[in-house]
Amino acid sequence: MSAQPDESTNYVGYDQTDNPSTGNYPTTPSKYFTAVKSGNSPQNDIHWNDSATCYTNGAYFHNSEGSLTPVTNISSGTNGSYASSSGFWWSVPTTSPQTGTGYIPGSTATLNSGATFVTDIEVIVPQKAQYAASHIMVNQQNYWTKELSGKLVTISGQAPYLASQNVAGNWSVTAPTTTTLPDGSLKVTGTLTYTTTKSFMVTQSKTKYYGQTLIMPATFRMIANEGWSSFSLTSYVQSATITYTGQPSSSPSSTTLTNQLLTTSKVVNKRC
């Protein structure tokens, strides 16, 4: 799961940018899991300092949290590159979990239709920044002033290890709730839900090991220079079932997640 606010070209928010981070990130599954075990999990942080909760470049930065899809989360991405995206990934069965090895030839892992993911959004803007609070844009098309909804389509993965970048589904976001805080600043909150409408099967063939689905629409952003204090996303799996074939006899034939894998990513308007 990853939730990655981004500021670019005078916007702040979740942006699913096409400018992937290509830092010194693992380029194979085994290197990925070695990095995770050593406490160096890949994070798509660009010009962002987690320890100080601040940015070093106010014109463009990412802050990512959670477990990024191994090797790449982009359909056509090169190994070791990550775009800003919020999603969920899973893998085919393996005889050696959390090593990036031992994936069983011909085995399958299917994310069943009806998987549901929830993201709580919170935006804080300074006092007298009503314009910013009322001009948060969703999916590059609509201002977030009422309940909104839409669809995402399946995108097959062309990257070496990724079978899907997205699984078809429907998203909806509640109408925003705006409250005035004691210091006069405004807090805008709402909840976005994404539910898959099709199942997606990953079949282990050659180097295809992982499936992925986005859990938010293309963008969720506001104009930065109109004033902002913080932007945060808290995402979790409300319900999801993954079924397997070809798994070891000691392994279950399915996994069900319910209200699990909570991840919060927050950016604040603070320069290091």
Side-chain angles (χ1 to χ4, degrees):
M1 180 87 68
S2 61
Q4 299 156 317
D6 163 70
E7 182 181 356
S8 176
T9 320
N10 196 33
Y11 292 104
V12 64
Y14 166 70
D15 201 0
Q16 197 182 321
T17 179
D18 290 326
N19 298 306
S21 175
T22 55
N24 187 25
Y25 297 128
T27 55
T28 66
S30 59
K31 290 180 180 179
Y32 170 89
F33 285 100
T34 296
V36 170
K37 290 179 180 179
S38 65
N40 296 311
S41 298
Q43 297 294 318
N44 184 9
D45 291 342
I46 300 176
H47 304 308
W48 180 264
N49 186 327
D50 274 322
S51 61
T53 317
C54 58
Y55 53 76
T56 58
N57 181 342
Y60 183 79
F61 66 89
H62 296 182
N63 172 46
S64 82
E65 301 296 340
S67 171
L68 301 188
T69 305
V71 186
T72 186
N73 61 358
I74 311 167
S75 173
S76 58
T78 58
N79 294 342
S81 65
Y82 295 93
S84 176
S85 61
S86 186
F88 172 83
W89 67 269
W90 71 99
S91 80
V92 297
T94 173
T95 58
S96 184
Q98 300 182 14
T99 66
T101 63
Y103 295 108
I104 300 171
S107 64
T108 69
T110 301
L111 178 67
N112 291 351
S113 176
T116 301
F117 307 90
V118 175
T119 300
D120 293 322
I121 303 101
E122 180 187 275
V123 180
I124 307 293
V125 299
Q127 188 177 17
K128 298 181 180 180
Q130 289 89 349
Y131 185 89
S134 62
H135 284 75
I136 300 171
M137 183 167 282
V138 180
N139 207 29
Q140 297 185 346
Q141 298 174 349
N142 301 288
Y143 286 113
W144 188 28
T145 59
K146 59 183 180 180
E147 181 178 351
L148 298 170
S149 61
K151 297 181 179 181
L152 296 179
V153 299
T154 296
I155 300 175
S156 296
Q158 303 303 316
Y161 300 99
L162 189 62
S164 68
Q165 180 173 313
N166 191 51
V167 177
N170 297 323
W171 62 267
S172 64
V173 61
T174 60
T177 298
T178 302
T179 56
T180 302
L181 301 178
D183 63 358
S185 60
L186 301 176
K187 179 172 72 172
V188 184
T189 59
T191 299
L192 186 145
T193 302
Y194 185 70
T195 302
T196 61
T197 54
K198 294 183 178 180
S199 297
F200 191 94
M201 177 186 291
V202 181
T203 300
Q204 202 295 297
S205 177
K206 296 182 179 179
T207 61
K208 294 294 185 182
Y209 305 143
Y210 311 111
Q212 174 186 294
T213 183
L214 297 178
I215 61 175
M216 296 186 73
T219 59
F220 206 102
R221 65 190 190 183
M222 59 183 287
I223 302 172
N225 67 0
E226 295 295 335
W228 68 286
S229 298
S230 68
F231 185 100
S232 67
L233 305 173
T234 299
S235 300
Y236 64 94
V237 183
Q238 185 179 84
S239 62
T241 297
I242 304 166
T243 55
Y244 306 101
T245 67
Q247 75 277 8
S249 58
S250 58
S251 298
S253 59
S254 67
T255 296
T256 297
L257 304 172
T258 304
N259 296 329
Q260 295 183 45
L261 304 180
L262 182 81
T263 299
T264 295
S265 183
K266 181 176 182 178
V267 296
V268 297
N269 195 358
K270 176 185 175 183
R271 184 179 290 275
C272 295

